[in-house]
Each structure stands twice: as structure tokens, then as C-alpha cells.
């Protein structure tokens, strides 16, 4: 497999293709190893020998218009899921929720994986172009590397943006389905659980940033839309004290409570030891790092792994002490629709 990446930034009408023909993407021990580096980053939730943190250094960079490349062609793919997901989620929820009730954790994110047989080959590139057409507001990426396999995502969450000395990130948490087209985001009413979850993420990010940045500006929480979902978002703008040490900031930021929990180290360990799904690159991060002087790193959400025989779709949601299993299950179902819609457009 030749290392190749295609990505489309939010609201843009073109995508960038990166190809590395010489050598393989470099395996790095941690985000801190990205200090002073540039390339395309593909990081898992937790680096391991099976899922390493990868830095691709492209030999070829081309830009193409999305409209010139076509979109979905052929018949819709079947949606017959491999069973047993509900029982596994119920067992995970009970185990995770017990930690919240005991007071060990204030928040923890529970993820799940849905497997859909790939009975008929479908071009990963066509799925990528379809995602670009359906989801103009988000970052869409198709990543193909020998060490990671093939992954497709359409994610709304920025981990770190930087250009001309101005840097930004966001706290994104809370989820509601869009009931109908044309609905005003300003009229969305958020529950106490969603607002509390979002505040945890925003406070964590603000605390981390204070150790690395100057001139920090923080917005009020506001409602944004991504595909058929609404989220609560707080925006941060700042200057890095040392742009050569951006890897240290990434190491401190990732994973945020939006994909992990509070306290971070303890919840991360619990997730790795107890979650049925095994996240791999889901809820990690990816994007161009200082390519052309620009950084655009996004959290790897709303994603699927494309294998020879099946698609593996991932989604998760934040649990608090007031969480209810059925409601949380439905939230993950809503998030999974982002990738499922690509298979039955």
C-alpha cells in the first residue's frame, strides 16, 4: 500500500492529496515527538505497537476540486450489521457507570464499534468524495497507510489549528439530533447534562492552554451543527509561546475529556482495559502539521475503518452520573448515521 491521504477542510470546494513514494510513514513514540516536525499526522487514541502514531512526509502534494472528481456511483450497499453490539454496550455501560456512581470518575466516554459486511467492493475514494458532498461543514479525510490500514472520517472537532502565529482549538461536547431542515441553532435547548459535559471539556482545555500560550481568548458556549447533529462548542484563540514545541501541547491536550474523561489518566486506563470495541485510531487525531506553514489537526470522530471484508464504524458518548443507558445508546446511533449514510446514499 502506497501511503496516501486525501483531506478536505471545512467549507472548502477542493481537497488535497498527499502521496509518500519514498519510504514509509515514521513511527513516533508520543505526540511530543512532533516537536519541530512537519507532515501529515495520524495518531490513535493510545499509541501501541498495533496502532502507532504515524507521521507521513509526502513526496507529492496536489489539489483537486471536489466537483471535478464525481461522487457516489453504483448501487447502495447493504446495511446488514453483524449482531451482538447491544449486549456488549449494555455490559460496558454498567461497568463504566458504576465508576461514576462510586465517585471514581466525574466523566467518562464510552465508545462502540459496528461491523457491516463489505459484500461488494466499493471504492474508498468514492466514499470520500460522497462524504465531501454530504458534509460540507466538517473535516473529511481518507487515510491509507500500511501501518494503519484505511480509515475514513467526517469529523467536526478541531484539536489544534495554526497559521501566521494565530492558533485555535475548541471544546466540543453535548449532542442533539437535528429534527428538521432549516431549524435555527439558536433555538436549541440544552439539558443540564449536556451543558455540564461541555463545561468539563472547556475547563480542561483552558487549564492545559495556560501552561503553553499567551493572549488566550475564550468564547461563550454556542450551538453548532455537524451533519444531522447539534453540538455545544467553546472556541479558544491564542499565541503559542514556542511554536517549535507544538508536540508538547498536543501531548498535554490529547485526549481531552470530550473523548476520554476526568481524571484523564485514570479514565484513559479504564477505557483501554474495559471497553469492548478497542478504539484503534478512533478518537485519536489527524491532519497536516506545519505543511506550508499551516496546521489543521482534528479529532478522529465519525469514522470507519475500511477492510477487505467489512466496514467498522465507531461512535461514542460522554457519560455522567445522570446518564441513562437507552439515551446514550441512541446518541451513538445518531453519530453512526454519518458514516452509514455513505453506504446507502
Amino acid at each position: 500500500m502506497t501511503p496516501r491521504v486525501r483531506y478536505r477542510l471545512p467549507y472548502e470546494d477542493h481537497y488535497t492529496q498527499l502521496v509518500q513514494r519514498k519510504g514509509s510513514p515514521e513511527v513516533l513514540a508520543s505526540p511530543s515527538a512532533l516537536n519541530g516536525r512537519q507532515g501529515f499526522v495520524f495518531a490513535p487514541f493510545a499509541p501501541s505497537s498495533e496502532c502507532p502514531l504515524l507521521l507521513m512526509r509526502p513526496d507529492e502534494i496536489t489539489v483537486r476540486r471536489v466537483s471535478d472528481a464525481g461522487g457516489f456511483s453504483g448501487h447502495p450497499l447493504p446495511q446488514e450489521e453483524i449482531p451482538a453490539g447491544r449486549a456488549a454496550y449494555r455490559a460496558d455501560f454498567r461497568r463504566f457507570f458504576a465508576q461514576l456512581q462510586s465517585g471514581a470518575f466525574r466523566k467518562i466516554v464510552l465508545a462502540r464499534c459496528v461491523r457491516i459486511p463489505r459484500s461488494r467492493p466499493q471504492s474508498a475514494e468514492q466514499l470520500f468524495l460522497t462524504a465531501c458532498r454530504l458534509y460540507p461543514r466538517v473535516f473529511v479525510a481518507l487515510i491509507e497507510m500500511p501501518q494503519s490500514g484505511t480509515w475514513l472520517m467526517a469529523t467536526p472537532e478541531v484539536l489544534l489549528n495554526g497559521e501566521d502565529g494565530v492558533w485555535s482549538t475548541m471544546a466540543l461536547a453535548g449532542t442533539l439530533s437535528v429534527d428538521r431542515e432549516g431549524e435555527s441553532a439558536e433555538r436549541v435547548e440544552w439539558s443540564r447534562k449536556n451543558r455540564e459535559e461541555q463545561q468539563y471539556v472547556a475547563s480542561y482545555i483552558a487549564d492545559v492552554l495556560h501552561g503553553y500560550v499567551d493572549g488566550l481568548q475564550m468564547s461563550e458556549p454556542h450551538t453548532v451543527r455537524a451533519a444531522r447533529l447539534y453540538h455545544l462548542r467553546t472556541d479558544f484563540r491564542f499565541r503559542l509561546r514556542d511554536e517549535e514545541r507544538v508536540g508538547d501541547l498536543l501531548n498535554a491536550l490529547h485526549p481531552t475529556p470530550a473523548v476520554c474523561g476526568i481524571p484523564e489518566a485514570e479514565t484513559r486506563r479504564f477505557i483501554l482495559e474495559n471497553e469492548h470495541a478497542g478504539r484503534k485510531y478512533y478518537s485519536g487525531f489527524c491532519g497536516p502539521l506545519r505543511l506550508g506553514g499551516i496546521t489543521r489537526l482534528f479529532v478522529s470522530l465519525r469514522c470507519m475503518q475500511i477492510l477487505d471484508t467489512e466496514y467498522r464504524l465507531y461512535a461514542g458518548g460522554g457519560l455522567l452520573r445522570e446518564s441513562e443507558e437507552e439515551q446514550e445508546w441512541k446518541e451513538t446511533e445518531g453519530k453512526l448515521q454519518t458514516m452509514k449514510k455513505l453506504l446507502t446514499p
Side-chain angles (χ1 to χ4, degrees), residues 9 31 35 40 48 135 138 148 152 156 173 178 186 202 205 210 225 229-230 270 299 301 324 328 345:
L9 294 172
N35 283 340
F40 188 94
S48 66
Y135 307 126
V138 303
S148 67
L152 175 66
V178 176
E186 288 74 17
I205 291 175
H210 279 301
R225 179 175 172 175
L229 299 171
Y230 287 125
F270 188 86
V299 182
L301 304 177
E324 299 177 359
E328 298 298 334

Side-chain angles (χ1 to χ4, degrees), residues 285-297:
F285 64 92
C286 68
L289 174 68
R290 301 177 66 188
L291 281 179
I294 297 173
T295 295
R296 297 284 186 269
L297 298 176

Side-chain angles (χ1 to χ4, degrees), residues 34-210:
L34 293 168
N35 283 340
R37 312 296 288 276
Q38 67 176 36
F40 188 94
V41 180
F42 193 28
F45 175 69
S48 66
S49 58
E50 180 188 4
C51 296
L53 192 163
L54 301 170
L55 178 65
M56 173 186 172
R57 290 166 294 182
D59 306 306
E60 300 175 8
I61 302 177
T62 57
V63 177
R64 301 177 181 177
R65 290 180 62 86
V66 173
S67 58
D68 294 339
F72 182 87
S73 61
H75 299 289
L77 300 177
Q79 282 281 315
E80 180 183 354
E81 296 181 14
I82 297 173
R86 189 70 176 92
Y89 184 84
R90 180 176 295 112
D92 280 357
F93 181 91
R94 290 173 178 172
R95 198 158 45 245
F96 280 47
F97 192 64
Q99 298 296 310
L100 295 167
Q101 288 182 308
S102 71
F105 306 147
R106 294 166 61 195
K107 175 192 174 178
I108 188 168
V109 174
L110 173 58
R112 53 182 283 235
C113 175
V114 168
R115 298 163 59 196
I116 299 178
R118 191 180 182 189
S119 59
R120 186 171 61 254
Q122 173 67 31
S123 163
E125 182 181 10
Q126 289 297 323
L127 294 174
F128 165 76
L129 294 170
T130 301
C132 289
R133 176 174 57 83
L134 292 179
Y135 307 126
R137 298 178 175 90
V138 303
F139 176 76
V140 181
L142 174 63
I143 299 167
E144 301 170 280
M145 299 186 191
Q147 302 100 318
S148 67
T150 301
W151 290 75
L152 175 66
M153 68 194 69
T155 175
E157 185 170 351
V158 170
L159 181 64
L160 190 64
N161 280 345
E163 184 175 1
D164 296 331
V166 178
W167 294 77
S168 63
T169 186
M170 66 172 61
L172 191 75
T175 303
L176 283 175
S177 296
V178 176
D179 292 332
R180 58 186 179 276
E181 292 297 331
E183 186 176 27
S184 172
E186 288 74 17
R187 300 182 64 180
V188 174
E189 295 184 3
W190 292 96
S191 68
R192 178 178 174 273
K193 185 261 183 186
N194 278 302
R195 290 191 175 278
E196 184 176 353
E197 182 182 354
Q198 205 276 341
Q199 184 58 50
Y200 281 153
V201 180
S203 297
Y204 171 89
I205 291 175
D207 288 345
V208 169
L209 290 176
H210 279 301

Side-chain angles (χ1 to χ4, degrees), residues 160 165-169 209 213-216 236-240:
L160 190 64
V166 178
W167 294 77
S168 63
T169 186
L209 290 176
V213 312
D214 293 317
L216 179 61
F236 301 84
R237 287 171 59 87
F238 48 87
R239 298 184 308 277
L240 286 181

